[in-house]
Amino acid sequence: MLHSISVTAALLMTGCASIPAPTEQIAVSKVAVESANSAGGNEFATVQLKSAMDKMDAAEQEMTVEDYALAKQLAEQAQVDAQLASPTARSAKAQKAASALLEENRVLRQELNRKAQ
């Protein structure tokens, strides 16, 4: 019984040790977070961007303690959150620009109508 427990523990430790550091996933996720930030995530997709940044920080923490499986999972989640933040921010920026144009058109029409009277 004791022998089977120590064999199981050894297999688990070997399994964890054989997981490579997810350096590529970390890099890809960082780029996604930076892209979301550049797209205006801080202003227009704050919830998604904050989630991505928090998960990226947690992934980096897990890298330092060499829990590569969890680091990879968190980095993947950060990437997904960032990929959601980017189009959300771009869409919100476009809506804001469209609203500004509509308001400018309204003001111009009012001015034209006033001058025509």
Side-chain angles (χ1 to χ4, degrees), residues 39-40 44-46 48 81 83-95:
F44 298 105
T46 55
Q48 296 91 341
D81 289 347
Q83 287 173 333
L84 177 61
S86 290
T88 300
R90 283 192 293 274
S91 176
K93 283 169 72 172
Q95 287 176 344

Side-chain angles (χ1 to χ4, degrees), residues 70-87:
L70 184 54
K72 182 178 182 190
Q73 180 182 8
L74 287 164
E76 288 169 345
Q77 290 174 5
Q79 182 182 355
V80 169
D81 289 347
Q83 287 173 333
L84 177 61
S86 290

Side-chain angles (χ1 to χ4, degrees), residues 18-105:
S18 67
I19 296 173
T23 52
E24 185 176 330
Q25 181 62 55
I26 294 288
V28 168
S29 298
K30 280 183 181 180
V31 169
V33 171
E34 289 168 10
S35 176
N37 193 28
S38 295
N42 273 337
E43 184 179 354
F44 298 105
T46 55
V47 172
Q48 296 91 341
L49 183 60
K50 181 169 179 359
S51 178
M53 293 172 78
D54 289 348
K55 288 175 183 170
M56 198 68 243
D57 289 343
E60 289 172 343
Q61 287 275 16
E62 295 306 321
M63 286 289 284
T64 63
V65 297
E66 298 180 6
D67 187 344
Y68 298 143
L70 184 54
K72 182 178 182 190
Q73 180 182 8
L74 287 164
E76 288 169 345
Q77 290 174 5
Q79 182 182 355
V80 169
D81 289 347
Q83 287 173 333
L84 177 61
S86 290
T88 300
R90 283 192 293 274
S91 176
K93 283 169 72 172
Q95 287 176 344
K96 184 177 179 180
S99 293
L101 284 173
L102 288 173
E103 179 60 19
E104 287 177 28
N105 285 341

Side-chain angles (χ1 to χ4, degrees), residues 1-15:
M1 175 80 172
L2 183 58
H3 178 69
S4 64
I5 292 173
S6 60
V7 169
T8 303
L11 286 173
L12 286 174
M13 290 161 82
T14 303

